[in-house]
Amino acid sequence: MQATWDNSYARLPDQVFVRHEPVPVASPTGLALNSSLAEELGITFGTDWAEFMAGNQVPNGADPITQAYAGHQFGHWNPQLGDGRAVLLGEVSGNFGRVDIQLKGAGRTPWSRGGDGRAWYGPILREYVISESMHALGIPTTRALAAVATGESVLREPGALPGAVICRTASSHIRVGTFQYFASRKDLTALAALLDYSIARHYPQAKSAEEFLVAAVNLQARLIAKWMGVGFIHGVMNTDNSHVGGITIDYGPCAFMDNFLPTKVFSSIDRQGRYGYSNQPNIAAWNMAQLATALLPLADDQNAAITRYTEIVQSFSDIFETEYAKVFSAKLGLGPCTESTVLTEQLLKMMAHAGADFTQSFRALGTDDIGYYVGDHTGFDLWHDAWMQSADHDKLNSINPAIIPRNHIVEAMIAEAVAGNMQLFHALNDTLKTPFVTPQNPDFSMAPTDNELVHQTFCGT
Ligand code: AMP
Ligand code: MG
């Protein structure tokens, strides 16, 4: 494996990371390699690529570390999390910028606590497919470079399951929880170094903690609006899974909605509905408030900073509303204005009432088949007339995807992969690369039957 490495995170103060190499696996076998992403990043792999992507060999020039972070998990403070099963090999750099190369499922680390440091096929292939799909949908995210079978089993609730490692790439792995880790320890040296580093990496135009916070809040609000536009539910928006650079990170029990239900929750561990679809903006704002709190110790004038940071966090909701209106107006073929907000709300209400499939309903706008999904509603004709008059119908099919990774297909893909057949994985992954093209294989765009419907997703790490 050849790449241009430059490991800037490993030049930060010692407290920020722990040097640690991936733990080799019994028998690495390649499951998937993202050649086009490798090419974009100037990475060349030989036939032994699975050795590197499993962590059995460390590439020349890499400087493997694990990162320190803390976090609020479901609102409860956990002062020490850290990379319990991930190893950051380093960063590759080039004219595309600087990109983290991280192995997840790479064995026990100094942060593992009781965990085994490993992962099974399920979460690995799920993250691969869903993160690549998000990228194809134009949503900022970590990406999948490779997946490798370890030849080892991992013990999970259902029993022994085949192990796998994913190599993911990211604009960084800096989380709200990374800031919280140092703020809670009153380690101002590390906190200041982390802030300078994050500014240089994500918001080079920012000149202060305040400007950093403004930028982070802005991108976070935009990100959540984009999630909402494709019916995506992250599922575990803990502060350790909330990225300061506005990208989607840590795909756990995440899912795309089939039938539209604003309060939809998938994750089996989210019993209160904290991370349900329509609660995501509230939680993202709450996470940004935790980021603001973590930045406070660096301010000279605490009172002034509290006032100012509070305003910035409160601005989240206006920014989100504006972005959300933009996203949904575009989905309806409208410019953002009061009328399009009203038409969006009415359509969503009719969809919720009918339990209409989210993706198919919006896609049906492009062929004016929306009546099939919500036409029974008493308000439909009025809505339809108003919408027909104002909408620009030409671009609808390039905005409303025909295909998203449907839960029942993702589950079937995992089951087949566990049985040794990767065909469905490859077919699904290929189709998801062009989400706005009506797929050849209608199975991938069809809504699930009642029998196929997936009601819950499991962290199943
Ligand atoms: P997550 O739920 O994946 O965001 O992980 C939350 C925390 O648990 C992080 O610190 C992870 O590194 C850690 N973790 C998750 N799964 C494992 C595992 N199998 N072994 C060790 N640590 C883990
Ligand atoms: Mg996490």
Side-chain angles (χ1 to χ4, degrees):
M1 177 184 177
Q2 280 190 332
T4 307
W5 294 93
D6 180 33
N7 311 301
S8 60
Y9 207 84
R11 294 195 288 270
L12 284 171
D14 286 349
Q15 309 88 294
V16 178
F17 63 91
V18 179
R19 275 210 165 70
H20 173 85
E21 294 208 352
V23 181
V25 305
S27 166
T29 313
L31 294 172
L33 182 64
N34 191 340
S35 310
S36 61
L37 177 58
E39 197 176 320
E40 257 175 61
L41 300 178
I43 301 173
T44 16
F45 285 112
T47 48
D48 58 351
W49 64 269
E51 292 278 324
F52 290 94
M53 296 288 91
N56 283 30
Q57 289 193 51
V58 173
N60 267 334
D63 188 0
I65 59 169
T66 54
Q67 294 174 313
Y69 56 86
H72 280 95
Q73 300 181 299
F74 290 88
H76 299 288
W77 174 238
N78 191 330
Q80 182 167 317
L81 291 163
D83 286 330
R85 57 167 171 170
V87 174
L88 178 63
L89 292 178
E91 303 133 31
V92 295
S93 68
N95 53 13
F96 48 82
R98 176 183 295 279
V99 172
D100 276 12
I101 308 290
Q102 193 204 60
L103 300 181
K104 185 170 170 183
R108 284 182 52 78
T109 78
W111 310 95
S112 296
R113 290 159 292 166
D116 61 3
R118 295 295 184 193
W120 71 281
Y121 273 38
I124 297 301
L125 297 179
R126 190 182 186 85
E127 171 158 345
Y128 195 115
V129 163
I130 298 184
S131 66
E132 282 302 298
S133 162
M134 292 285 268
H135 172 74
L137 289 164
I139 300 174
T141 177
T142 60
R143 294 194 60 190
L145 182 61
V148 179
T150 61
E152 297 171 3
S153 341
V154 293
L155 217 53
R156 295 291 182 265
E157 224 172 83
L161 295 163
V165 176
I166 188 170
C167 179
R168 67 179 178 191
T169 69
S171 56
S172 86
H173 284 81
I174 307 171
R175 308 142 191 276
V176 170
T178 320
F179 280 85
Q180 291 181 293
Y181 182 90
F182 300 104
S184 66
R185 283 166 177 71
K186 302 188 171 46
D187 183 343
L188 298 196
T189 311
L191 189 61
L194 180 67
L195 174 64
D196 287 346
Y197 181 89
S198 305
I199 287 179
R201 198 149 173 195
H202 290 292
Y203 309 108
Q205 75 289 357
K207 290 188 180 53
S208 61
E210 179 182 325
E211 288 182 17
F212 168 73
L213 183 62
V214 169
V217 165
N218 217 290
L219 283 198
Q220 191 67 23
R222 283 165 192 259
L223 177 68
I224 308 301
K226 290 195 173 108
W227 286 1
M228 308 287 278
V230 293
F232 178 75
I233 303 174
H234 182 284
V236 213
M237 290 175 71
N238 295 335
T239 56
D240 53 302
N241 296 334
S242 170
H243 197 281
V244 300
I247 67 168
T248 315
I249 192 168
D250 279 6
Y251 292 84
C254 61
F256 285 76
M257 266 194 289
D258 294 302
N259 53 320
F260 179 57
L261 181 67
T263 53
K264 184 70 193 170
V265 177
F266 276 106
S267 168
S268 61
I269 52 174
D270 187 3
R271 293 195 188 87
Q272 324 269 311
R274 180 178 169 91
Y275 299 143
Y277 175 77
S278 54
N279 210 28
Q280 296 185 119
N282 295 331
I283 293 294
W286 191 87
N287 289 348
M288 290 297 106
Q290 307 316 309
L291 178 61
T293 306
L295 290 170
L296 273 179
L298 293 174
D300 294 330
D301 181 341
Q302 289 292 304
N303 287 335
I306 289 172
T307 308
R308 183 62 195 123
Y309 291 5
T310 305
E311 286 167 8
I312 298 169
V313 171
Q314 282 171 347
S315 75
F316 181 98
S317 109
D318 279 348
I319 303 168
F320 172 77
E321 287 304 329
T322 306
E323 292 301 320
Y324 179 89
K326 270 194 217 160
V327 166
F328 277 87
S329 303
K331 287 178 78 65
L332 268 73
L334 306 166
C337 60
T338 317
E339 192 203 1
S340 64
T341 304
V342 173
L343 286 173
T344 299
E345 271 172 21
Q346 289 172 336
L347 176 60
L348 288 174
K349 229 178 237 161
M350 291 190 290
M351 283 166 56
H353 190 255
D357 186 81
F358 185 87
T359 307
Q360 284 184 339
S361 299
F362 280 104
R363 182 74 177 179
L365 292 173
T367 44
D368 195 19
D369 289 326
I370 183 66
Y372 174 79
Y373 295 95
V374 294
D376 286 347
H377 201 278
T378 46
F380 178 72
D381 290 341
L382 264 178
W383 177 88
H384 189 247
D385 287 348
W387 175 68
M388 281 301 273
Q389 269 172 29
S390 336
D392 171 359
H393 300 255
D394 292 347
K395 290 199 209 103
L396 287 169
N397 276 357
S398 60
I399 290 167
N400 294 310
I403 163 147
I404 43 113
R406 293 202 178 262
N407 305 314
H408 66 292
I409 298 175
V410 170
E411 298 296 338
M413 175 276 286
I414 293 169
E416 287 204 8
V418 167
N421 183 355
M422 289 292 289
Q423 259 174 351
L424 187 53
F425 169 90
H426 290 297
L428 178 62
N429 200 48
D430 279 347
T431 311
L432 287 165
K433 283 181 186 152
T434 52
F436 302 103
V437 177
T438 305
Q440 300 266 315
N441 181 349
D443 290 353
F444 291 155
S445 52
M446 257 152 43
T449 61
D450 286 350
N451 282 341
E452 289 170 331
L453 203 61
V454 173
H455 296 282
Q456 258 193 346
T457 49
F458 296 87
C459 220
T461 66

